[in-house]
């Protein structure tokens, strides 16, 4: 009689496919260093998980082209980080309550940095199933880096958003018009020193009016005494 189900794993002569590991990521760093040389400033591997590299600002676009040639053909996203602590607090404080002075020391994240803002992007090698995050400093005195659009057309939209929200320019971008705000809007809303007025007049959640909870009725005297009579 034939079995109702067969849960045995079918045999195969094919060797199991190796998963991306630290050895693969170390090889990617070595390969990128061979392609861009000393412009690779630092790298960080999260064991069995991920890879981040920081490259020189003037090698930002060169790195995109080098990684694309190396097999990282899938562009995921591009954005920026403003590492400066907000002089307005974290937006969850009650603006009517005096608070302690804010420590404005800038501390960059993974792979370090030397400037207030950094650009970062994410690429994936679909054949080797491995991703990489690339970072670069944005000069404080001239917040401009080269555009990635020559290597990845999809960077067009991301660089427009980054320019609009952080005020970072991209050399070689074909059209850095605003997408969300009026063209004559003053300021860049994702920079930490841009005042979010809604947060300055009332605590989080900002523009949402929070109504107080209704008062609980006092328990009846008889019920409170619990039948002590």
């Amino acid at each position: 009689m034939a079995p109702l189900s067969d849960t045995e794993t079918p045999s195969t002569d094919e060797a199991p496919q190796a998963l991306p590991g630290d050895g693969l990521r170390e090889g990617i760093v070595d390969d990128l260093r061979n392609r861009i040389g000393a412009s690779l400033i630092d790298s960080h591997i999260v064991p069995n998980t991920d890879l981040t590299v920081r490259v020189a600002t003037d090698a930002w676009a060169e790195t995109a082209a080098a990684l694309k040639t190396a097999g990282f053909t899938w562009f995921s996203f591009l954005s920026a980080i403003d590492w400066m602590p907000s002089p307005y607090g974290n937006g969850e404080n009650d603006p009517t309550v005096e608070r302690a002075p804010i420590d404005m020391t800038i501390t960059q994240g993974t792979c370090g940095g030397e400037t207030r803002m950094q650009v970062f992007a994410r690429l994936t090698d679909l054949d080797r199933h491995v991703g990489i995050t690339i970072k670069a400093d944005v000069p404080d005195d001239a917040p401009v880096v080269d555009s990635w659009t020559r290597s990845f057309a999809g960077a067009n939209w991301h660089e427009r958003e980054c320019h609009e929200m952080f005020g970072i320019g991209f050399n070689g971008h074909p059209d850095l018009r605003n997408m969300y705000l009026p063209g004559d809007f003053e300021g860049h809303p994702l920079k930490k020193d841009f005042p979010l007025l809604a947060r300055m007049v009332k605590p989080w959640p900002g523009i949402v009016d929070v109504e107080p909870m209704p008062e609980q009725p006092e328990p009846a005297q008889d019920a409170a005494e619990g039948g002590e009579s």
Side-chain angles (χ1 to χ4, degrees), residues 6 17 21 50 60 67 82 99 102 109 112 118 138 145 148 152 158 160 186 191 193 200 204 214 217:
D6 186 1
Q17 184 177 5
D50 208 356
W60 175 243
L67 287 170
D82 183 355
R99 59 171 180 258
I102 296 174
Q118 292 179 311
V138 176
V145 297
W148 272 28
F152 297 99
H158 297 258
R160 287 179 63 185
E186 296 184 2
K191 292 182 69 173
D193 53 359
M200 298 177 70
W204 177 261

Side-chain angles (χ1 to χ4, degrees), residues 43-66:
S43 63
H44 177 72
I45 294 175
V46 180
N48 300 314
T49 303
D50 208 356
L51 167 63
T52 300
V53 297
R54 176 174 160 238
V55 302
T57 305
D58 58 4
W60 175 243
E62 177 188 358
T63 303

Side-chain angles (χ1 to χ4, degrees), residues 43-183:
S43 63
H44 177 72
I45 294 175
V46 180
N48 300 314
T49 303
D50 208 356
L51 167 63
T52 300
V53 297
R54 176 174 160 238
V55 302
T57 305
D58 58 4
W60 175 243
E62 177 188 358
T63 303
L67 287 170
K68 185 175 184 179
T69 302
F72 288 88
T73 56
W74 178 262
F75 171 85
S76 296
F77 66 88
L78 183 151
S79 189
I81 309 170
D82 183 355
W83 291 107
M84 187 183 81
S86 171
Y88 308 109
N90 60 15
E92 298 180 6
N93 308 110
D94 187 341
T96 64
V97 177
E98 185 176 356
R99 59 171 180 258
I102 296 174
D103 182 359
M104 297 300 292
T105 303
I106 294 176
T107 303
Q108 292 85 358
T110 303
C111 293
E114 299 178 355
T115 59
R116 169 183 165 178
M117 291 196 291
Q118 292 179 311
V119 286
F120 70 106
R122 180 76 176 177
L123 298 176
T124 300
D125 183 328
L126 298 177
D127 293 329
R128 292 185 290 178
H129 305 283
V130 62
I132 182 172
T133 299
I134 310 99
K135 303 171 61 178
D137 293 348
V138 176
D140 292 325
D141 55 347
V144 179
V145 297
D146 290 334
S147 173
W148 272 28
T149 52
R150 292 185 178 179
S151 294
F152 297 99
N156 184 311
W157 184 93
H158 297 258
E159 290 179 351
R160 287 179 63 185
E161 182 185 55
C162 195
H163 175 259
E164 185 174 353
M165 293 295 155
F166 291 94
I168 297 172
F170 291 88
N171 285 327
H173 190 286
D175 186 5
L176 281 176
R177 285 181 301 163
N178 283 0
M179 295 188 296
Y180 309 114
L181 304 170

